[in-house]
Amino acid sequence: MDLNADVGESFGQWTLGDDAAIMDQVSSVSIACGFHAGDPSTMRQSCATAAAKGVSIGAHPSYRDLAGFGRRFMDIAPRELSNELIYQIGALQAMARAEGTTVSYVKPHGALYNAIVHHTAQAEAVVTAMTIIDLPLLVAPNSEVQRLALAAGLTVVTEAFADRAYNPDGTLVARTQPGAVLHSIEAVVAQSLDIALHQEVTAIDGRRIAVDVQSLCVHGDTPGAVAMAAAVRTALRDAGVTITSFVP
C-alpha cells in the first residue's frame, strides 16, 4: 500500500505543515504547484527534501484559487483548465529537474479532485492534459475521471483518505459539513486499517462501503498530521502491510 501526503503548501511568509517530518512517514508526496498553495521556492525545496528522503514526487495542481486554497468549485472552460494543469505540472517538473529528480505522478487537488468524480467536462479536461503530460493519475475510485482516463489508455491509481469522512455513495463528506475531517488519531488509524486490510470504510450513516484503492492519503495540513501519519505507518506495518510507492 502506498501512503501519501499533500505537501509544499507553505506560501511566502506563511508556513503550513511540517513537510520534512511527514516525509519520514510516507512513500509518496503530492506537491502543491502554486495555484492553491506553494510558491517557486517552496516547490523546489519540497522536491529537494523528497529526493533526499527517497520519497516519490507527485504534482498537486488545482484551480487557480489561492484565496480559497483550491477548495471552491470553479466553472472553468475545459481548454483553459487543461492549459492551467499543464502549466502547473510543468513548473513542478522544472523544479524537480533542478534538484536532480523527477515528478512521477499527478494528483488533482481539493475542489477539482472532487469535481472530476462526477463532472464530465472537467474530467475530460484533466484527461486531455494528462495525455500530454503522460504520467500516472492518482484519483478517487469509481470516478468519472478514472473511467475516462482508462478509456484514453492512461495509467490510473486510486486512493482513499485516512482522515476524511465518507458519504454512503463513496464520495467525501464536504468540508463545510461537521465531521468531514477526522481529528482523532484512533479514528484515523482505524479507518486506515479498514482501507488497507479490507478495502472498506464506514460511511457517516454506518454503512460499510467498498474502496478498491492502491494508495492511502493523510493530509499534510490536518492538525497533528505528522503524528497521524506516524501512527498509521506503525499500525499498517504491525498488521503486515508493506508501505511502498506505487511508482515503479
Side-chain angles (χ1 to χ4, degrees), residues 63 72-78 80 119 122:
Y63 294 131
R72 303 180 293 190
F73 173 75
M74 302 186 79
D75 190 9
I76 302 175
E80 181 180 359
H119 195 297
Q122 291 201 354

Side-chain angles (χ1 to χ4, degrees), residues 15-247:
T15 300
L16 184 62
D18 188 343
D19 290 351
I22 206 166
M23 286 187 200
D24 288 329
Q25 307 301 331
V26 301
S27 48
S28 302
V29 287
S30 306
I31 299 175
C33 299
F35 272 28
H36 78 278
D39 55 37
S41 294
T42 300
M43 291 163 67
R44 183 167 182 177
Q45 182 58 55
S46 297
C47 289
T49 304
K53 293 179 179 289
V55 177
S56 296
I57 294 172
H60 202 33
S62 78
Y63 294 131
R64 189 194 293 265
D65 183 25
L66 198 58
F69 201 70
R71 287 179 174 160
R72 303 180 293 190
F73 173 75
M74 302 186 79
D75 190 9
I76 302 175
R79 180 173 176 80
E80 181 180 359
L81 180 57
S82 289
N83 289 339
E84 293 198 343
L85 293 172
I86 294 166
Y87 177 93
Q88 292 177 79
I89 299 162
L92 187 68
Q93 286 177 317
M95 291 301 182
R97 187 164 57 250
E99 292 300 328
T101 187
T102 59
V103 175
S104 298
Y105 68 93
V106 174
K107 173 186 171 180
H109 166 80
L112 175 60
Y113 182 100
N114 291 327
I116 59 179
V117 169
H118 55 78
H119 195 297
T120 300
Q122 291 201 354
E124 288 174 340
V126 171
V127 170
T128 296
M130 294 305 299
T131 58
I132 296 169
I133 297 297
D134 193 24
L135 287 172
L137 183 61
L138 183 60
V139 294
N142 306 312
S143 58
E144 181 72 348
V145 69
Q146 179 190 22
R147 182 184 70 81
L148 293 171
L150 289 173
L154 299 175
T155 299
V156 180
V157 180
T158 54
E159 72 169 344
F161 291 86
D163 55 4
R164 292 293 309 277
Y166 279 82
N167 292 309
D169 65 355
T171 59
L172 296 174
V173 174
R175 284 180 176 267
T176 55
Q177 301 301 312
V181 179
L182 306 183
H183 295 288
S184 160
I185 289 180
E186 291 76 12
V188 170
V189 167
Q191 181 153 295
S192 299
L193 289 172
D194 263 357
I195 293 166
L197 300 178
H198 309 297
Q199 297 281 281
E200 289 183 337
V201 295
T202 301
I204 54 171
D205 66 348
R207 192 178 314 177
R208 299 282 287 177
I209 55 174
V211 283
D212 184 9
V213 299
Q214 297 80 51
S215 186
L216 180 64
C217 177
V218 176
H219 283 92
D221 66 311
T222 298
V226 174
M228 285 182 182
V232 169
R233 182 184 183 92
T234 298
L236 292 180
R237 286 191 162 177
D238 288 350
V241 177
T242 300
I243 298 171
T244 184
S245 173
F246 56 81
V247 179

